[in-house]
Amino acid sequence: MKTKTIVIVALLLKSFLVDAQQVKIKRADKDFEKFAYVDAIKTYEKVAEKGYKSVELFQ
């Protein structure tokens, strides 16, 4: 029972972390669209440093 609880909590935390990274990427995308390239790059780099990897991020 305790193992199931730990697994469920771990999966929930992982999903929240992925959602948080997506929010940061959307904010960086908006900065990029407003030609705020320096701010967008900083946000993209922070997301990449935390381990989030995607093709779109590195383009």
Side-chain angles (χ1 to χ4, degrees):
M1 184 69 163
K2 187 175 182 180
T3 305
K4 288 182 182 180
T5 304
I6 292 172
V7 170
I8 290 171
V9 170
L11 290 173
L12 287 173
L13 286 175
K14 182 173 173 72
S15 67
F16 286 127
L17 292 174
V18 170
D19 287 339
Q21 299 303 326
Q22 291 292 336
V23 169
K24 289 180 183 178
I25 290 172
K26 286 182 182 180
R27 182 173 18 140
D29 289 343
K30 287 181 183 178
D31 287 341
F32 187 84
E33 290 171 1
K34 292 189 281 183
F35 304 105
Y37 300 122
V38 174
D39 296 333
I41 289 170
K42 287 179 185 178
T43 305
Y44 289 135
E45 288 175 343
K46 287 179 185 177
V47 170
E49 286 173 1
K50 291 186 179 184
Y52 184 82
K53 293 179 175 42
S54 73
V55 175
E56 292 83 19
L57 177 66
F58 294 111
Q59 288 179 344

